Amino acid sequence: MVNVLFLSIAAVLLLAAAYKARPLLRRPRPRGLGALCGFLTGLGASLVFLTPAVGDALSVVTPKLGRLLGNCSTLAAATCISILLLRFNEEPPDADRKARHRLVSLGVVLVAMAALFFASPVDDSPGAPTFGELPRTEPLLNIYVLVFTAHLGAAIVDLLRQALRYSRHAPRTSLRAGLRVIAAGCALGMVYIGYKIVHVVGLWTDAGWLPPEQLCSSLVTPATCTFSVGLPAVCSLLLVIGVLLPAVGPALARPWRRLQLWQLHRGLHPLWAALTAAVPEIQLTATENRYAAPDPEFRLYRRVIEIRDGMLALRPHRSDEVRRAAEERLRSGGADARELDAGVEAAVLAAALESRRDGGAPAHAVSAEDATLTRPELNDLFDEARWLRRVSHAFVASGAGPAPSEPSRPAAGI
């Protein structure tokens, strides 16, 4: 089972690395893409080399060679993901300088590990100690394990620090989520490092309580494999998800975003219908044409603009008396701040529409201040549409609506 699982995941990672590496042949190269491909390749290679069947095949060349190659690939993957975050979160001169330092450090560690490994004789005969038990009898492998554990621990701490630091300032939701998933993977990685330290100390001190290393039949059996195999596997999975989430997150969220746009579009219909009936000239050309605007975001944006144009056209008919009366009524009814704002705006609009329909004289002339319609706390289209939807619901609840019902199927592809 372990063989199939490790090789299957490794194949996916290596194929993903090959697919993402295509733009590296062009100039200029996308920022951080080389580090991403290096991370996917290193992680995939480590799973291949640490697969028991592959390790047995490599042992024909040199006993336990798969363990050395797997450990080296793991360190390379950890370094690449650290460089990937540097590329995205720091200016190019600083990122390049720190990336060079990490690559030099990685090169030194890999050379040291290879020298220690090949300088220490390893017995691969039946019944011989496993690699995890060898540091008990091979002093040079004590140093090998120490170097590997220390460098991997330092890389995980560096990655955890970067993920926590930049997740607070990431501009996109998917990027923030990806960094937090990486941080969770690093937290599990620290547990794995703690296990390695306890295991190595137990071997050094010849502790009787240290359970012998056994061949793993799954990620959690025998029990020691939960820490030696299962924990690194989950950690690696979280790192891969965290790295890929900013790229695939928007695509995965697109259906949910389209549904939100459609719901907002429908929620604005009562207010929009009342305004366009009273002020037909605000309706843009082919608004209700099903094929006029297939983009749901554009459809919502246009509906918001038309509502705002209608509100502007009604400015001369707005009444301060109606506003004060509505505010007093809603406050006495226990409305919260959001309900109060929306309810007052709905009441004022309903009175303004009635005044315009009855041919009443404008209460005042439109001034420059009247053209400032956007509320200061509304930062984007979604905020604006949500605010207007609350006004639309309050408009219907006030008795000024409901307006003609929205078609059951989304217009213009929404």
Side-chain angles (χ1 to χ4, degrees):
M1 177 181 176
V2 174
N3 291 327
V4 174
L5 181 63
F6 275 30
L7 291 177
S8 300
I9 297 175
V12 173
L13 293 174
L14 294 175
L15 288 174
Y19 174 78
K20 297 293 291 184
R22 294 176 302 165
L24 293 176
L25 302 177
R26 301 192 295 265
R27 293 288 190 278
R29 294 174 179 173
R31 185 180 178 187
L33 183 58
L36 172 60
C37 294
F39 165 68
L40 295 174
T41 303
L43 191 56
S46 69
L47 290 174
V48 171
F49 293 134
L50 294 175
T51 300
V54 176
D56 294 340
L58 291 173
S59 293
V60 175
V61 180
T62 297
K64 311 300 182 185
L65 179 60
R67 181 62 68 98
L68 171 65
L69 296 177
N71 291 159
C72 292
S73 299
T74 300
L75 294 184
T79 301
C80 286
I81 191 175
S82 177
I83 293 175
L84 176 64
L85 293 190
L86 286 174
R87 297 293 188 195
F88 281 105
N89 297 315
E90 298 199 15
E91 294 299 323
D94 292 335
D96 291 342
R97 175 177 53 82
K98 294 180 180 179
R100 285 193 297 270
H101 291 168
R102 283 163 173 76
L103 290 174
V104 170
S105 175
L106 173 65
V108 172
V109 168
L110 295 184
V111 170
M113 288 173 56
L116 291 167
F117 180 87
F118 288 111
S120 180
V122 178
D123 184 7
D124 203 35
S125 60
T130 64
F131 189 90
E133 296 172 322
L134 283 171
R136 191 193 305 268
T137 57
E138 296 295 339
L140 291 180
L141 285 183
N142 286 334
I143 304 176
Y144 169 94
V145 174
L146 176 63
V147 170
F148 168 73
T149 304
H151 191 81
L152 181 59
I156 291 176
V157 169
D158 174 56
L159 186 58
L160 178 61
R161 179 185 58 82
Q162 289 194 72
L164 292 177
R165 176 183 176 186
Y166 296 117
S167 63
R168 296 191 295 268
H169 310 292
R172 290 186 293 136
T173 301
S174 59
L175 181 56
R176 288 195 299 272
L179 289 171
R180 288 166 183 165
V181 172
I182 290 174
C186 291
L188 290 181
M190 294 303 297
V191 176
Y192 170 71
I193 293 298
Y195 163 78
K196 292 290 292 183
I197 292 174
V198 170
H199 187 78
V200 171
V201 170
L203 289 173
W204 287 354
T205 58
D206 200 19
W209 50 264
L210 188 67
E213 189 174 84
Q214 297 173 285
L215 182 64
C216 297
S217 58
S218 72
L219 296 181
V220 294
T221 54
T224 55
C225 294
T226 302
F227 293 95
S228 62
V229 178
L231 197 59
V234 175
C235 175
S236 300
L237 178 62
L238 290 176
L239 293 180
V240 172
I241 292 174
V243 167
L244 297 181
L245 191 58
V248 302
L252 295 176
R254 191 171 294 121
W256 169 244
R257 179 178 176 85
R258 290 181 66 88
L259 178 61
Q260 287 182 303
L261 291 167
W262 174 61
Q263 290 176 334
L264 287 171
H265 192 268
R266 285 179 59 88
L268 295 181
H269 183 263
L271 181 59
W272 172 84
L275 290 173
T276 53
V279 194
E281 59 269 23
I282 66 173
Q283 189 169 354
L284 301 176
T285 304
T287 296
E288 288 303 296
N289 185 339
R290 179 171 174 78
Y291 303 101
D295 179 15
E297 186 166 350
F298 181 77
R299 290 279 302 180
L300 179 62
Y301 178 76
R302 187 158 60 180
R303 176 156 287 188
V304 168
I305 291 298
E306 289 175 344
I307 290 175
R308 282 302 191 181
D309 286 345
M311 295 169 72
L312 179 60
L314 293 175
R315 280 288 188 169
H317 298 274
R318 295 172 69 92
S319 168
D320 284 340
E321 289 77 7
V322 172
R323 179 185 58 79
R324 287 192 293 268
E327 185 173 349
E328 182 178 350
R329 173 174 53 82
L330 290 170
R331 286 187 186 277
S332 63
D336 59 25
R338 293 171 56 178
E339 293 174 342
L340 180 66
D341 287 347
V344 168
E345 184 66 23
V348 171
L349 285 175
L353 282 168
E354 183 177 358
S355 174
R356 182 183 175 94
R357 283 194 298 265
D358 294 343
H364 64 279
V366 178
S367 63
E369 289 76 10
D370 293 325
T372 307
L373 296 174
T374 303
R375 298 167 60 85
E377 70 273 15
L378 303 180
N379 300 317
D380 56 26
L381 175 63
F382 272 91
D383 285 345
E384 184 89 359
R386 290 188 184 102
W387 151 248
L388 291 176
R389 184 173 61 178
R390 290 198 298 271
V391 175
S392 182
H393 290 169
F395 181 80
V396 173
S398 70
S405 60
E406 179 81 41
S408 59
R409 65 180 181 182
I414 297 181

